[in-house]
Every structure is written in C-alpha cells, then in structure tokens.
Amino acid sequence: MSWLPLSFGAPLVLFGLLALPVIWWLLRLTPPRPQQEVFPPLRILARVLKREETPHQSPWWLTLLRLLMAALIVLALAEPVFNPREKLSTGGDALALLIDNGWASAPDWERRVATAERLIADADSTGATVVLAFTADKPNAEIGPFDAAAARDRLRAAQPRPVPTDRPGVYARAAAMLDQFPGASIAVLSDGLAAPGDDAAFGALLTKSPANLFWATPERLDTIGLTAAENEVDGFAVTVVRASSDSAPRQVTLGAFDDKGRRIADATAVLQPGESEASARLTVPFELRNDFASIAVDGQPQAGAVRVLDDNSKRRRVGLLSQAEADQAQPLLSPLYYIRRAMQPFADLVEPQSADLGEAIPQLLEQKPAMIVMADVGTIPEHARIKLVDWLRNGGTLVRFAGSRLAAAGSDEELLPVLLRTGERSLGGAMSWTTPQAVSDFPSTGPFSDLAPPNEVTVTRQVLAEPTPDLADRTWANLADGTPLVTGARRGKGTLALFHVTPEATWSNLPISGTFVEMLRRIVQLSRNQGVATAATEDAPQSLAPYRLIAANGTIVPPTGDAKPLAVGAATTPVTIENPPGLYGSEDGVQAHNLLAKDHQLTPIARPQANVAVTEVAYAFDQSSALKGPLIAAAVALMVLDTLAVLWMGGVFARRPKQRKAAAPGAAAAVLLGLVALLAFPAEPRAQDAKPGDAEAIEAISTTRLAYVLTGDSSIDSVSRAGLAGLTQYLIEKTALEPGQPAGVDIARDELAFYPIIYWPIDANAPMPSEEAIARVDAYMREGGTVLFDTRDQFSTDFTSAGSASAATERLRDILGNLNVPPLEPVPEDHVLTKTFFILNEFPGRFNGSPLWVEASLNAENADNRPVRTGDGVTPIMITANDFAGAWAVDANGDALLPTVPGDPMQRVYAYRTGVNVVMYMLTGNYKSDQVHVPVLLERLGQ
C-alpha cells in the first residue's frame, strides 16, 4: 500500500486510528490524582471560606498529548516507509543475478551494488535463493547458490576490475546452475557496452525459460576510451572514442602525466554531433613528450580512459651520416634518401652541417642522439673514431650500411659487429654462376624474429663476413644461401648493427620494401634501452613481470597478486585478470599493455529478444526509509513527557512548606523594592524602526558579491552567471577574497548599491532601458559603483569614433548618450589595473584585441608626467568587447563552457587574471599608486 512518498507494510493496522475518539472520551473521564499536602494549620484557616473543588476531567493539553501518543503507536505498528520503492516480483525458487564488473562499470559501481542489494532483498522476501555471478571474475569463482545473507556478503566484497567482461563463459556457468531451479528469475546488470559473444551468452540463458527477466543498463552511456597514442613529428596524437549512442557534442580534456604522476601537458578533443571518435594533439617540445608515462581523460575514473606509454612511444633523435654528396637532381640515388623516408615517422632525424667526417661526427654527438646511421662510411678519422666508440660503449646504437667505401676500408673490430672479407660479392649477372638471393626466415634470437620474411626482396651484391664460431649468434637476418644480411653485436652498453647491403636500391631492393621500415623501427626500439622488454635472447627473460598496473578507477597502482608475467613481444595478448592493463618489465625497460586496441569501438549493448516479460530496472540508490523506529521513539518520548506531567500535577515536584518566620517579611520587602524600581526607572519606549526589506539588505551587504545585468535573454544571462561564478571560484583560489554567489540584477527595480561592480553584457536585440533605469545606473556610478560594459563583438576596438560599427556598439552608444560619462581612454601602460594583483599588459577575454576603456586621467595627454595614476578614486565605467564572461564561464564540473578565440590555453588564464585585477581594483582603489610609504618600506628593506 503506497500513498505518494509514503507506504505501509501493515496498512490494516491504520484502522486503529478509529479508536482515537474512544480514547479521548476515556481520558476526559480520568481526572488526575488529588494533590496531597502536609497539614498546615494556618493555610487551612486561610482557606476556610474557600470552596473545595475537584476537577472532573483531565486538562485539554494532557488529553491532546495522549491522543498524539496513541496515534504514533498505531502508525508505527502499520510499518510506514518514506519514499518507498517498487518491490520487484521475483518468480521461481531462485534469482540469477548476473553483474558486469568490468572496466566500464567502475564510475558508478556503488550505484550498481545498491541496485543488486534491492534485488537480493526482494528475493529474500519470497524465500528464493540467489545465484550471483560477476562477468569479470576468475573463471573458477564461486557463483552459488547463496542465501540472501551470503549473497550480500559476496556482493559487498566484489570490486570492479580493469578488464573486459566474459559474458559467454560466465552466463554458460549460470545457465548450468539454473538447471537445478526451473522457472527462476534472471537479472542482468550490464555496463551498457556490447562485447563479443553476447548473442551466444544471452541465448544460453534464455533457453532456461526464466519466469522474469530484469534488465538494467546505465541511463546515459557517457564512457570515454583511449584507443591510440602516437608520438608523431610535431606532437603526441591521441585517439578518443565514445559510445555510438552518445551523439551530443562533447568536449573532452586529456592530461599527460610523467612517471611520478605529475601533470605536464593538456589537450582537448572535440566530439562533434554524431561522431564517436575524435583526435587530440599534445603539441609540446620533443624532450617533454619523451617524459610522458601515461595519458588520461579528465572526469573518467575507469581504466579505458587511461593509456600507459612505454619506450615505444618515445621518439628518439637519430643522426644520419654519409660520405657521398647528395645529388639534388637524382634524390633516389642518395644513400640517405630511403633511410630518411623510413625513419621520419617514428624518429627525429638530425644531420651534420659539415661533410668532413672529422667534423661531422663530433657535431652529431653534440646533439646527443640515441642512434647514428652511417651510409657507406669507410675509414673514420682517429680523433672522431675515439669519440664515436666512447659514445657507443656508453649506450648508443650505431647502424652501418655496406658499400664500396666500407668494403675497401677493411674490418674494424670496434665499429663492426663481425669481421668482413675484403671486397664485394656479386650475385647473378652474365659472368656469375649464382642468382640473386632471397631473404630467409629471421632468426628467433634477433630483433626481427616477429617479422615475416619478404618474398619480393632479393640481393644482388653484398659484403661477406668472415666465418667465425659466433657468426650465427650475431646474425639478425640471413639470405637463402645462409650468408648474413644483417649482423649485430653488443659493445659495452650500446648496440652495433650492420646491413651487408647499401641503403639505396643498387645492391638490393630491400630499401624500397615495407620490411626495411619495420627493421629500422626494431633497431630504434633497441636504442631506447629495450633489450629486456622487447626482445627475448639467451640472456634475456622470455616474459616480463608486472611493474605498474592500471586499476579499475584509472589510477596507476603496484602489481596485485592476481597479475602474472606477460610474454615478451606479446603485442596481441588480450587483457585478462592474469594480464591486466599496465606496464610490464622493470626500471630498466617496460612494455605497455593497454586495455583498448586501436580499432576498438564502444558499441551499446542490445537487449536480447525474449519470450518472457522483461522489466527495466534503473541503477539507483535505495532512498526508502523505514519510519517505524522513529515513530516508536517519538511515542516513548511523549510517554515520558506524560509521566512527568502527571507527577507534576500530583505535586511530586512541589516544595514542602517550611516555617519561615523571618522570610515572609523579607519576601514582601523584595517585592516592594521591585515595584519601586519599576516605577522609578520605567523602560524607555522603543519605536518600531524595522522596515520591509531590511533582512534582505543586511544579507546582501554581509558578503561581497559580483553582479550582472539581466538582459532577458536566457542564453546571455546563463553565460553571465556562469562567467561570474567561474571568476568567483578563481578569486577564492588565488586571493584572500571569498565572494558569495553572483547575483543577477534588474536595473529598473533592484537596489544596485549592494554591489561594487556590475557586469553589463550589451545585447543589441534587448529593449532599450527606460529613463528611470538609466537614472538609477547613473546614480549608482555617481555614488562610487562601477559598470563594466561588454559588447562581446570582438572587432569593436574604438566605440568613440563615428562610422560603421556593430549593432552591440551602436546600442552601447545609445545607452551612454543618456549617462554622465567622463572622458575615457584605453588603459595606459602605467595604470593601476595593470598591476593591482597580476602584472598585465593586455586584458583579453574569450576574444583578444579590443582595448579596455576606463576613465581618463586629469592629465592624460602628458604621458611623461604621470608615472602612476593619482588619486584614490576608481573609474565608474569600463568598456570592452572581448567577452570577459565567456572566458570565465564554467559548468558544474569546473570545465570551460566556451572556447577562446584563438584557441590558446593561456588566453583563458590571462582572462581570469584580468578579472582578478578588475575586482581588486574596485575593492582597494588606487592603493598601489600611493608613494607615501615608499621611504619607510625601503628603510625596512635596508636600502
């Protein structure tokens, strides 16, 4: 039984309220116990002539008290519930509760738990058992059946996990469990996202012919995910995706964090209406981009909105060196042409200014490259060779390409991975018995082990390595005849690699193949100290231990006990409970294992077609409150009060009369003195000076508040209020001032004197203010207030000049024509507004370019004779066209509502600083122009 927000568990008990009239009649016939007194002879004599009376009924207030107590008891026995929820009818002997606890459920997990608790309570009321299964738990997790108490404990112990859901596996286990409970009810609490295998999962459940199907999904699917983060040439490109059902325009803010969790860069991605994918670019310097450890979406506490980065995302500086002069007419024959084209997408390339090796190599080393590529470089000068070897042994990566110069230079054990035979080997041709050789499978111990051998690549010439016992261990790529194509070796902390062919397509077509790009990419990865994290060798592990993991709420946490090592190079390893998203490896090198793949799409889940009744359930907290306890407590309190009243009426608390021979005269004297004092010193009459509106006036002046003019246009007024609210919050954070909430004022009716400054956005379509309203504004400015007019048209830089102007500027001219406006000038460089709180040289808003007009100084023409503005007065008028409120406006989450033009993030910061200077200038005046205390201050500073 429910009456609006109140329901009763036992409504028949309410018929007991019909007994209240009978109770009232009985109480009236029950007089209180007569008062007993000790025998007082004198008092009896004094009452001889009085008639003894005994009340025949209890006082009305005592009767009312007891009736109220009886009514509270009846209401309490009826078990009332405030804000009752609708009870779900769970049919059958069991309830199968299937809950998604994957990464998408983290933001509103508490709400999902509250919804599940209501379903368990409803099942408990019918005596049904509960099958409780979570789709992101381990495959062997216990799913029941549980009684209601055990199910609640299991539910409260569950937590969201940063992994995808496994509906097919979990639903199949639940379906097998339901074989024991035919006709059970099924409740699906999903995260709102579709997953592979959903059709098969729901099909397995619906084959059990459930009695009811309860379906719960989020009301609004606002999940944001990061699917890619690429370190490109001019910035860090990040891809943002959202559910296809979320078609409203949306602005997403992303932050880049270093390995210590410090925010070092920001970017904004704009999702246009109907778009489910957008890109953002963090345009920061190359060195700062290399410090990125993770990128996260603001306001999205879930693992899909975080992407961790490893050294693969860090761009390295690569130096290019060649002894051959570039032929501008034939660039395809340049030794470095194909190397540049291959490495430019993932590396920053630098080249020396000098062609002399003795100068070129030191020039490259001064730029601290991670890798140097030498295209057919022969003999190296000794002083440059020493520096190059030292750089290599300290961790550098040197890649060399063969050619006629290298073949003629002979072997160099320090700068070549293997010993070379003198000369070249020719394969194919009219004078050769051999044919061009193809590339065989890449050795499993090299960095190219995961690449497929290119079928179209052939080699016609090469430099051969001397056969040595360790040649096979140093070979990274072979030809079909077993001769090495690429060899490599370690030199101290560095890596040395040699391509036995030229970098241009003369000895082989390898440089014009896609495999060439991937081979260079793998070597660049080695240059980033990733020998442990990217390539498994005899001395390196085959798997990487968990290092830092992403929690379900998107935070970076230490490894958990469930996490297992990740296979090296397992780029396609799915995210599971054993391999959750995060970083794997150690401080020497890590590999990123992110949740969402590059092609991942967030698709809303589709409700399955079922032949049973489907009940929609909303995720919500249980707002119902049982009133039985409070009502019983109130009845007990009234009972205690009734008992005290009866005791008082029976004289229990009355004082026993005592013999007071001298007290009576003293009491009489005291009463006499009191009467004399009242007559001698009568109370002064006080006039009732309170007037209507005094309370509102006191409240208005008790807190400093910023005000804005109500234009009648809801869009303009909402931006004005949001703008002043954002400025108010900024003032609280940056200054000692704590203003109240901004107020909208009607200049024709409201009192303006309560506000130090009024922001007036000029709307050309708004009706012209009346003469009375203009007079009120004129009086406000004359009494010390300031009005900040904002035309918000960006292009109006001189409203005083005649000629064409915007509609807003024309309306401003009409308004100012009826006001006593002093001479105006743009804010000079030495004005107090430029240094009231922040040092400013311009006053931008959402736009930039319009000056800020203020009252002109007394001697404005003489710039040399006004080092600082004089006087203590404040300009009564300010005029701008930069749309200050648009730059200050924020939403409920504190995010900016409108973009700045141009989109410079610092422009909004300077706009806030402009607002702070204006408010401080209005509240403190020209205090910074006062030079009286300068000598004292200098004396205290010891100057």
Side-chain angles (χ1 to χ4, degrees):
M1 181 177 182
S2 175
W3 298 337
L4 296 179
L6 188 67
S7 68
F8 296 88
L12 295 179
V13 179
L14 295 177
F15 285 105
L17 295 175
L18 299 177
L20 290 181
V22 179
I23 298 174
W24 171 78
W25 181 74
L26 292 176
L27 291 176
R28 285 179 55 86
L29 297 180
T30 306
R33 183 174 63 89
Q35 181 175 346
Q36 297 180 358
E37 295 184 357
V38 179
F39 179 72
L42 296 179
R43 184 172 296 182
I44 291 177
L45 294 177
R47 295 181 181 178
V48 168
L49 299 179
K50 290 185 179 181
R51 184 179 60 181
E52 294 292 336
E53 296 180 353
T54 300
H56 70 281
Q57 63 183 18
S58 62
W60 67 269
W61 54 268
L62 185 60
T63 303
L64 181 61
L65 180 68
R66 292 173 176 175
L67 287 176
L68 182 58
M69 180 173 58
L72 290 178
I73 293 176
V74 173
L75 292 175
L77 294 177
E79 298 182 358
V81 177
F82 185 71
N83 282 334
R85 63 176 181 85
E86 183 180 357
K87 189 174 182 179
L88 299 176
S89 177
T90 56
D93 297 332
L95 170 67
L97 191 55
L98 309 175
I99 304 175
D100 286 344
N101 64 328
W103 62 273
S105 64
D108 59 345
W109 176 249
E110 298 300 329
R111 194 182 302 272
R112 298 169 190 265
V113 171
T115 305
E117 285 183 340
R118 295 201 306 272
L119 290 169
I120 294 175
D122 294 339
D124 186 26
S125 64
T126 60
T129 58
V130 179
V131 176
L132 183 59
F134 297 93
T135 57
D137 273 5
K138 295 180 179 180
N140 59 349
E142 179 66 27
I143 64 173
F146 305 104
D147 58 18
R152 289 191 188 95
D153 294 340
R154 174 86 171 84
L155 175 65
R156 293 164 184 169
Q159 293 293 333
R161 296 180 180 270
V163 298
T165 59
D166 180 21
R167 295 195 186 108
V170 175
Y171 285 13
R173 294 185 60 201
M177 182 69 68
L178 290 180
D179 290 336
Q180 308 174 22
F181 307 98
S185 296
I186 298 176
V188 176
L189 277 60
S190 72
D191 57 12
L193 295 178
D198 280 352
D199 294 338
F202 289 121
L205 283 177
L206 297 178
T207 56
K208 304 303 176 182
S209 301
N212 298 293
L213 177 61
F214 301 103
W215 181 262
T217 55
E219 294 183 3
R220 181 172 179 265
L221 194 57
D222 57 353
T223 304
I224 298 292
L226 296 180
T227 58
E230 299 292 338
N231 198 349
E232 298 179 350
V233 177
D234 56 346
F236 217 108
V238 183
T239 303
V240 177
V241 295
R242 65 173 175 177
S244 57
S245 60
D246 189 4
S247 59
R250 191 170 182 181
Q251 180 173 300
V252 178
T253 302
L254 301 96
F257 303 86
D258 61 8
D259 55 357
K260 296 183 179 179
R262 296 172 296 192
R263 193 184 188 102
I264 55 179
D266 292 281
T268 301
V270 179
L271 290 159
Q272 300 296 338
E275 291 184 353
S276 58
E277 182 176 317
S279 297
R281 184 174 295 276
L282 293 93
T283 306
V284 294
F286 162 76
E287 292 79 7
L288 191 59
R289 273 182 277 146
N290 282 348
D291 290 336
F292 289 179
S294 63
I295 298 177
V297 180
D298 291 348
Q300 286 284 320
Q302 42 91 3
V306 178
R307 198 163 188 89
V308 292
L309 308 173
D310 54 16
D311 287 343
N312 288 323
S313 302
K314 294 187 172 86
R315 294 179 64 86
R316 288 303 186 200
R317 185 174 287 113
V318 177
L320 303 182
L321 187 62
S322 174
Q323 283 186 283
E325 296 182 358
D327 190 349
Q328 301 297 332
Q330 295 179 322
L332 297 181
L333 298 180
S334 172
L336 297 176
Y337 176 79
Y338 296 106
I339 297 177
R340 294 191 190 97
R341 295 292 299 272
M343 301 184 66
Q344 191 171 12
F346 54 85
D348 288 276
L349 307 180
V350 294
E351 298 184 40
Q353 299 178 353
S354 175
D356 184 6
L357 291 179
E359 298 178 358
I361 292 177
Q363 289 176 1
L364 284 180
L365 296 179
E366 288 178 358
Q367 301 187 54
K368 298 181 179 179
M371 187 170 97
I372 294 178
V373 179
M374 290 185 176
D376 190 18
V377 174
T379 304
I380 301 174
E382 185 60 25
H383 70 281
R385 180 182 177 278
I386 294 175
K387 294 182 179 180
L388 184 61
V389 171
D390 183 64
W391 168 82
L392 176 61
R393 290 191 171 275
N394 285 323
T397 299
L398 177 62
V399 179
R400 304 189 66 176
F401 283 85
S404 57
R405 293 181 179 86
L406 181 63
S411 295
D412 187 340
E413 295 183 2
E414 290 287 346
L415 296 178
L416 288 174
V418 294
L419 297 177
L420 299 179
R421 290 184 178 181
T422 303
E424 309 164 7
R425 178 195 181 196
S426 179
L427 303 171
M431 301 300 295
S432 175
W433 293 97
T434 60
T435 59
Q437 294 293 309
V439 180
S440 65
D441 294 338
F442 293 108
S444 60
T445 58
F448 314 136
S449 59
D450 59 338
L451 296 178
N455 297 326
E456 73 281 1
V457 172
T458 57
V459 175
T460 58
R461 298 176 69 183
Q462 69 176 142
V463 292
L464 289 175
E466 290 285 353
T468 57
D470 59 350
L471 179 59
D473 296 334
R474 300 188 179 189
T475 301
W476 291 358
N478 285 319
L479 297 181
D481 61 358
T483 57
L485 174 63
V486 182
T487 55
R490 301 286 297 179
R491 291 291 185 269
K493 297 180 181 179
T495 303
L496 180 60
L498 171 65
F499 282 76
H500 291 244
V501 294
T502 58
E504 69 274 8
T506 55
W507 289 18
S508 171
N509 61 351
L510 175 64
I512 61 176
S513 68
T515 305
F516 184 69
V517 178
E518 294 301 323
M519 295 172 73
L520 289 179
R521 185 189 294 271
R522 298 299 191 280
I523 299 176
V524 170
Q525 292 174 357
L526 291 178
S527 72
R528 300 171 186 179
N529 195 21
Q530 294 188 20
V532 175
T534 58
T537 63
E538 294 181 356
D539 299 328
Q542 299 295 327
S543 60
L544 302 174
Y547 181 63
R548 293 288 186 272
L549 301 180
I550 303 176
N553 60 358
T555 58
I556 308 298
V557 297
T560 60
D562 295 334
K564 301 296 179 58
L566 181 71
V568 171
T572 59
T573 300
V575 174
T576 62
I577 295 177
E578 294 184 348
N579 292 130
L583 297 172
Y584 290 79
S586 63
E587 294 181 355
D588 296 331
V590 293
Q591 177 176 320
H593 189 48
N594 286 296
L595 179 64
L596 303 182
K598 290 185 178 181
D599 57 348
H600 191 89
Q601 296 181 352
L602 302 180
T603 306
I605 191 172
R607 194 177 73 182
Q609 298 294 330
N611 296 326
V612 298
V614 180
T615 303
E616 297 279 352
V617 179
Y619 287 127
F621 292 101
D622 191 358
Q623 301 293 336
S624 60
S625 301
L627 300 180
K628 182 177 181 180
L631 290 177
I632 291 179
V636 171
L638 293 181
M639 186 180 299
V640 173
L641 186 61
D642 178 86
T643 303
L644 295 176
V646 171
L647 294 176
W648 173 73
M649 294 176 62
V652 173
F653 302 111
R655 283 188 175 183
R656 294 288 186 264
K658 298 182 179 178
Q659 298 292 334
R660 293 184 226 158
K661 296 181 179 178
V671 173
L672 181 61
L673 290 176
L675 292 175
V676 172
L678 290 175
L679 295 175
F681 305 99
E684 296 181 1
R686 296 181 180 268
Q688 294 292 334
D689 56 353
K691 298 179 181 179
D694 287 357
E696 291 78 7
I698 294 174
E699 181 181 359
I701 64 176
S702 61
T703 303
T704 301
R705 302 170 69 189
L706 308 181
Y708 62 95
V709 174
L710 296 173
T711 63
D713 189 332
S714 59
S715 61
I716 297 177
D717 294 343
S718 62
V719 171
S720 299
R721 180 171 183 83
L724 294 187
L727 179 58
T728 297
Q729 184 61 33
Y730 195 85
L731 286 166
I732 294 174
E733 295 174 356
K734 299 296 183 181
T735 70
L737 177 64
E738 295 186 2
Q741 291 298 319
V745 296
D746 185 351
I747 59 175
R749 293 182 300 176
D750 297 337
E751 179 57 51
L752 307 180
F754 298 147
Y755 310 103
I757 184 170
I758 298 177
Y759 177 80
W760 190 338
I762 301 301
D763 181 16
N765 299 322
M768 185 70 183
S770 62
E771 294 182 2
E772 293 78 9
I774 294 295
R776 288 165 57 85
V777 174
D778 193 31
Y780 167 78
M781 297 168 57
R782 189 170 56 252
E783 296 295 334
T786 296
V787 180
L788 173 57
F789 294 92
D790 195 342
T791 59
R792 304 174 295 113
D793 53 8
Q794 180 184 10
F795 304 107
S796 177
T797 57
D798 188 2
F799 70 96
T800 60
S801 62
S804 61
S806 65
T809 304
E810 292 292 342
R811 174 51 56 89
L812 176 61
R813 291 176 179 174
D814 297 339
I815 295 174
L816 297 182
N818 299 321
L819 295 173
N820 295 317
V821 179
L824 303 177
E825 66 175 348
V827 174
E829 295 180 357
D830 57 353
H831 198 278
V832 174
L833 270 173
T834 64
K835 53 190 172 183
T836 305
F837 194 89
F838 294 102
I839 304 299
L840 299 175
N841 55 12
E842 59 180 356
F843 304 89
R846 195 164 74 91
F847 309 117
N848 193 6
S850 171
L852 178 61
W853 294 79
V854 297
E855 181 182 3
S857 64
L858 298 178
N859 193 13
E861 293 78 15
N862 187 359
D864 297 331
N865 193 25
R866 54 166 194 178
V868 180
R869 311 294 291 178
T870 60
D872 293 328
V874 176
T875 175
I877 183 173
M878 297 183 186
I879 300 176
T880 184
N882 286 334
D883 192 8
F884 284 169
W888 301 334
V890 295
D891 58 12
N893 296 325
D895 299 328
L897 287 178
L898 302 175
T900 58
V901 180
D904 183 6
M906 289 303 299
Q907 182 171 327
R908 194 180 306 278
V909 175
Y910 288 126
Y912 276 115
R913 295 180 177 179
T914 297
V916 172
N917 276 23
V918 169
V919 173
M920 290 301 175
Y921 169 67
M922 295 308 307
L923 297 178
T924 61
N926 290 355
Y927 76 101
K928 287 200 173 181
S929 65
D930 190 356
Q931 305 296 317
V932 175
H933 303 292
V934 171
V936 178
L937 295 176
L938 293 178
E939 181 181 354
R940 291 185 178 181
L941 294 175
Q943 300 181 6

